[in-house]
């Protein structure tokens, strides 16, 4: 397995009530959890599940998933903190019909909203 074939997915992490949300940027995949760690784990599972669906449908994994709405890209660009791959456990995705696995490396940025009401819709 070679890192030159790794899959990097950018995502923004933000609070929503009592939960944390992880929203993909290049692919509109989203997950939530009570903690940042739980939300990140759920996001990795959602990405893996979507990749498996793509393989089952005979398409390249994740290629048929549209990008997230633009407000999430803006949140990602204004995020206050980045999490590097060394802070997270890389997960492997099966990325071919032959079942070859490639490293999946999430690139996460923490978004802390500075609006008065704490509503992420300010970026809509």
């Amino acid at each position: 397995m070679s890192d030159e074939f790794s899959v990097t997915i950018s995502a923004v992490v933000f609070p929503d009530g009592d939960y944390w949300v992880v929203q993909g940027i290049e692919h509109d995949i989203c997950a939530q959890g009570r903690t940042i760690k739980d939300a990140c784990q759920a996001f990795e599972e959602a990405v893996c599940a979507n990749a498996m669906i793509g393989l089952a449908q005979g398409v390249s994994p994740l290629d048929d998933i549209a990008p997230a709405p633009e407000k999430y890209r803006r949140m990602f660009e204004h995020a206050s903190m980045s999490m590097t791959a060394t802070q997270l456990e890389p997960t492997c995705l099966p990325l071919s019909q032959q079942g070859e696995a490639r490293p999946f490396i999430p690139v996460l940025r923490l978004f802390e909203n500075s609006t008065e009401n704490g509503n992420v819709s300010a970026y809509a």
Side-chain angles (χ1 to χ4, degrees), residues 61-113:
L62 308 179
D63 280 355
D64 60 341
I65 300 174
E70 185 60 30
K71 74 176 185 178
Y72 297 111
R73 180 170 300 283
R74 288 193 300 273
M75 288 171 65
F76 182 81
E77 291 168 354
H78 291 94
S80 61
M81 183 181 83
S82 293
M83 298 172 71
T84 63
T86 58
Q87 294 169 295
L88 301 166
E89 293 294 323
T91 301
C92 287
L93 291 177
L95 294 178
S96 71
Q97 294 292 348
Q98 294 77 26
E100 296 175 45
R102 301 284 192 255
F104 157 54
I105 304 168
V107 175
L108 304 174
R109 291 189 185 171
L110 180 64
F111 175 79
E112 296 174 316
N113 198 346

Side-chain angles (χ1 to χ4, degrees), residues 26-27 29 50-51 54-55 59-67 95:
E26 297 91 350
H27 307 284
I29 299 173
N50 278 281
L55 283 174
V59 298
S60 184
L62 308 179
D63 280 355
D64 60 341
I65 300 174
L95 294 178

Side-chain angles (χ1 to χ4, degrees), residues 10-33:
S10 303
V12 63
V13 181
F14 58 93
D16 185 16
D18 292 337
Y19 291 88
W20 285 91
V21 176
V22 180
Q23 171 65 55
I25 304 302
E26 297 91 350
H27 307 284
D28 193 9
I29 299 173
C30 183
Q32 68 179 15

